[in-house]
Amino acid sequence: MKFIRVILFPIVPIYYVVTWLRNKLYDTGVKSSKSYDFPVICVGNLSTGGTGKTPMVEYLIRLLKDKKPLATLSRGYKRKSEGFVLADEKATADSIGDEPFQFFSKFSDIAVAVDDDRQNGIEQLRKLETKPEIILLDDAYQHRKVKAGFNILLTAYDNLYYRDIILPTGNLREPRAGTKRANIIVVTKCKKDISEAEKTEIVSKLKLKNHQKAFFSYIDYSEKVISSTNSIEVSKLPKFTLVTGIANAKPLVDFLISKGLKFDHLEFNDHYNFKASDIKNLASKTLIITTEKDYVRLSVNGSLKDKLYYLPIQVKIDKSEVFDTTVKSFIT
């Protein structure tokens, strides 16, 4: 894979020019973006994934859902439906996508919707009987047809955007100049003990604009893994099989290793569509630990019911009071 990326380097300038020109057309008004007179918050990144968008959206849900009626709007990557879909009691990971289904499963007091066309999705949400007054756009930083009033850009600590280059050799979806659209930049998946000196160095390299603020976050792992009927303390886990279908499993793997746990790791691509042969193989395992995103897809298989657990996570933000106040000031 790395070799293929290297030999595709001559395409990088072409991709750069195409994405730069597209952004320029939106920036100058040649291509139109739709703005809204109510709070629309976008969570996204410059890279192709693995920056922690889902836990960040969940953080914002917890922060804002009691302030005003709230909805999330996602594309619903790899779902088996089309157009606008509002999650209801019949929703599954197949019908709305794994991450939106995770939101729907955890937060019963918000609207969860998917639509490739974010403008249409917002229009349909605003027609609901309980009209959302705040809409969170998940992974929509490059969806320029909608002009969010507030943009939160994520960049992972172990793959900061200023160290990366454009696709296909690098992981950036657009040139680094695109960071100027962000109101907040969050360095995610940091070490818990990151020093103030290192933070200062990173912020200097982010080259913030006058309207921007930078924050640092880390993943807080639960002390228990959870199944549909049971829970086990992480410290008491026997040897198990770790199953991941996410963009970057390294932080999770590092955490489990730091706990001295013994496990085999079955690693799949992000949003992997588990096949019947995969499920049969997993059913032969004694104990399976997975991510919450993978759990919502795997838990529908009855053969895994008594052996499948997930490890809950939450994002913790350094100087969260300032972060929270900054976001809340936008919605008032």
Side-chain angles (χ1 to χ4, degrees):
M1 185 65 180
K2 289 183 178 179
F3 174 72
I4 293 175
R5 285 192 164 211
V6 170
I7 63 175
L8 289 176
F9 182 76
I11 300 176
V12 169
I14 300 172
Y15 192 96
Y16 181 100
V17 170
V18 170
T19 53
W20 176 88
L21 180 59
R22 175 179 181 270
N23 279 333
K24 183 60 67 174
L25 292 175
Y26 277 108
D27 292 341
T28 57
V30 175
K31 292 177 75 69
S32 62
S33 297
K34 186 170 183 179
S35 301
Y36 298 87
D37 59 0
F38 60 92
V40 176
I41 300 174
C42 170
V43 176
N45 52 23
L46 292 192
S47 69
T48 51
T51 58
K53 293 185 296 296
T54 301
M56 177 57 70
V57 171
E58 291 187 358
Y59 182 99
L60 293 170
I61 293 171
R62 294 187 181 95
L63 178 66
L64 302 174
K65 67 184 180 68
D66 296 329
K67 307 298 180 185
K68 296 179 181 180
L70 183 146
T72 65
L73 179 60
S74 311
R75 178 176 54 159
Y77 185 62
K78 286 196 173 182
R79 63 187 169 113
K80 296 180 180 179
S81 60
E82 295 182 356
F84 176 82
V85 179
L86 180 68
D88 57 20
E89 66 277 359
K90 297 179 181 178
T92 65
D94 281 342
S95 66
I96 62 173
D98 48 15
E99 290 155 343
F101 186 66
Q102 182 175 319
F103 301 150
F104 178 69
S105 301
K106 296 175 75 170
F107 303 101
S108 59
D109 50 352
I110 70 168
V112 175
V114 295
D115 198 332
D116 289 335
D117 183 341
R118 301 308 206 288
Q119 282 191 16
N120 182 67
I122 292 172
E123 181 181 342
Q124 297 305 316
L125 280 169
R126 294 284 285 179
K127 291 179 180 178
L128 297 178
E129 184 175 351
T130 302
K131 182 168 63 176
E133 298 298 330
I134 304 170
I135 294 181
L136 302 179
L137 300 179
D138 176 28
D139 195 14
Y141 198 76
Q142 284 75 37
H143 195 90
R144 300 294 306 273
K145 289 183 179 180
V146 166
K147 187 175 183 180
F150 198 86
N151 285 290
I152 299 175
L153 179 67
L154 310 183
T155 182
Y157 172 79
D158 62 355
N159 189 28
L160 294 160
Y161 62 71
Y162 59 74
R163 297 174 183 160
D164 207 348
I165 63 172
I166 286 283
L167 290 163
T169 301
N171 294 306
L172 299 185
R173 298 169 172 176
E174 60 173 297
R176 284 173 279 184
T179 59
K180 67 185 180 183
R181 302 195 302 276
N183 299 89
I184 283 177
I185 297 175
V186 183
V187 179
T188 62
K189 302 184 179 181
C190 296
K191 304 175 294 184
K192 284 188 179 182
D193 59 351
I194 183 172
S195 69
E196 290 299 321
E198 187 174 7
K199 289 186 208 173
T200 300
E201 180 183 359
I202 290 173
V203 170
S204 69
K205 292 180 179 178
L206 292 177
K207 297 181 179 179
L208 301 179
K209 306 298 182 183
N210 291 335
H211 67 283
Q212 295 176 325
K213 294 181 180 179
F215 295 88
F216 295 80
S217 71
Y218 65 90
I219 296 172
D220 187 36
Y221 293 96
S222 173
E223 295 181 355
K224 294 182 179 180
V225 293
I226 299 173
S227 74
S228 59
T229 58
N230 193 24
S231 65
I232 306 173
E233 291 185 21
V234 171
S235 60
K236 296 181 180 179
L237 282 172
K239 186 174 180 180
F240 59 88
T241 300
L242 174 66
V243 177
T244 60
I246 56 178
N248 180 11
K250 186 176 184 301
L252 173 57
V253 172
D254 289 346
F255 168 77
L256 296 173
I257 291 174
S258 73
K259 294 295 182 180
L261 299 172
K262 304 294 184 182
F263 59 93
D264 299 316
H265 185 192
L266 297 180
E267 187 171 14
F268 299 89
N269 293 331
D270 196 16
H271 300 279
Y272 179 75
N273 183 22
F274 292 95
K275 303 178 180 66
S277 57
D278 299 318
I279 303 304
K280 183 178 180 179
N281 178 43
L282 294 178
S284 69
K285 309 299 180 184
T286 303
L287 176 63
I288 302 166
I289 308 299
T290 190
T291 68
E292 193 166 1
K293 184 170 80 169
D294 294 310
Y295 181 85
V296 299
R297 287 177 290 143
L298 290 170
S299 60
V300 299
N301 297 281
S303 60
L304 305 180
K305 181 178 179 181
D306 297 326
K307 60 186 67 180
L308 182 66
Y309 291 73
Y310 70 90
L311 180 61
I313 65 171
Q314 284 192 26
V315 64
K316 298 292 184 180
I317 300 176
D318 183 44
K319 299 180 180 177
S320 58
E321 301 87 353
V322 180
F323 179 92
D324 294 355
T325 300
T326 303
V327 174
K328 287 178 181 177
S329 65
F330 168 68
I331 69 166
T332 56

